[in-house]
Amino acid sequence: MDQHQKDALASRTLWARLRRQLIRLTGAQDVDDHLHAAFMKLEAYRAREQVRNPEAFLVRAAANSALDEHRRARRQTAAAPLDAGMADTLADDAPLQDEVYAARQRLDRVREGIGRLPPRTREIFLMHRLDGLKYHEIAARLGISQSAVEKHIAKAALALAEWAKGW
């Protein structure tokens, strides 16, 4: 077994272990999105600080992500509909021109980074992030394993995090 195969096996094993821990902690069955967000946070944090226990960091960040999503869902169902008369008194939330310009520059930079990804990795990453498809849905559509989808998403996340250093 060559080093690439050993790394791939270790990656799959780590992902499976993290999934089990997160399911046990949160009770959520669909934890892949939270783990992906945790990997992104880990890479961003590593750019600034040393991480002594990356696995613990990932579990905590993914659990926090799941908890935040649960809280958002509870707030949305508890929020009362806006009274039609109150709508006229709300402040204009439109962004300022300089904010729009800065956002467009960031968007162009993100497009450039995504454009640098290998075609298959880019396709899978965009299906997940833009189309909102879950890993198992992407795997079914493309006729590949969920593990392959996970690898492509992780590869894209790491490549984009590395490429975005210094922004």
Side-chain angles (χ1 to χ4, degrees), residues 4 25 49 64 67 73 79 100 114-115 119-120 126 140 148 158 164-165 167:
H4 178 70
L25 280 173
E49 301 287 332
N64 287 346
L67 181 60
V100 171
I114 290 172
R120 184 67 159 193
L126 292 175
L158 290 174
K165 281 184 181 175
W167 274 13

Side-chain angles (χ1 to χ4, degrees), residues 2 8 11 22 39 50 53 58 63 77 90 96 135 150 152 160:
D2 69 7
S11 176
L22 191 55
F39 270 100
Q50 179 184 5
N53 188 341
L58 289 169
T77 58
L90 295 177
L96 300 173
Y135 290 5
E150 292 168 358
H152 280 286
L160 291 172

Side-chain angles (χ1 to χ4, degrees), residues 19-75:
R19 284 185 95 251
R20 284 192 303 274
Q21 287 177 335
L22 191 55
I23 289 169
R24 191 174 61 248
L25 280 173
T26 66
Q29 292 300 314
D30 190 18
V31 296
D32 293 317
D33 291 340
H34 302 297
L35 281 173
H36 177 260
F39 270 100
M40 296 296 286
K41 286 180 184 176
L42 174 63
E43 287 305 311
Y45 190 79
R46 276 184 173 166
R48 300 183 316 268
E49 301 287 332
Q50 179 184 5
V51 177
R52 290 185 202 187
N53 188 341
E55 190 171 333
F57 183 100
L58 289 169
V59 170
R60 178 56 26 215
N64 287 346
S65 174
L67 181 60
D68 290 345
E69 183 177 299
H70 175 72
R71 287 177 180 156
R72 266 192 306 277
R74 267 198 359 227
R75 270 195 312 269

Side-chain angles (χ1 to χ4, degrees), residues 72-147:
R72 266 192 306 277
R74 267 198 359 227
R75 270 195 312 269
Q76 286 175 349
T77 58
L82 183 62
D83 181 274
M86 289 177 55
D88 296 332
T89 63
L90 295 177
D92 182 11
D93 289 333
L96 300 173
Q97 289 179 346
D98 60 333
E99 292 171 335
V100 171
Y101 178 74
R104 283 188 179 144
Q105 284 185 317
R106 284 192 307 273
L107 182 58
D108 288 343
R109 179 90 171 146
V110 168
R111 281 187 184 133
E112 183 182 337
I114 290 172
R116 292 176 179 228
L117 295 173
R120 184 67 159 193
T121 301
R122 179 176 50 243
E123 176 187 20
I124 291 171
F125 180 76
L126 292 175
M127 288 174 80
H128 177 62
R129 300 299 285 185
L130 292 183
D131 299 337
L133 296 177
K134 304 292 183 199
Y135 290 5
H136 64 91
E137 294 171 323
I138 296 169
R141 281 193 184 182
L142 298 178
I144 60 177
S145 69
Q146 184 170 328
S147 174

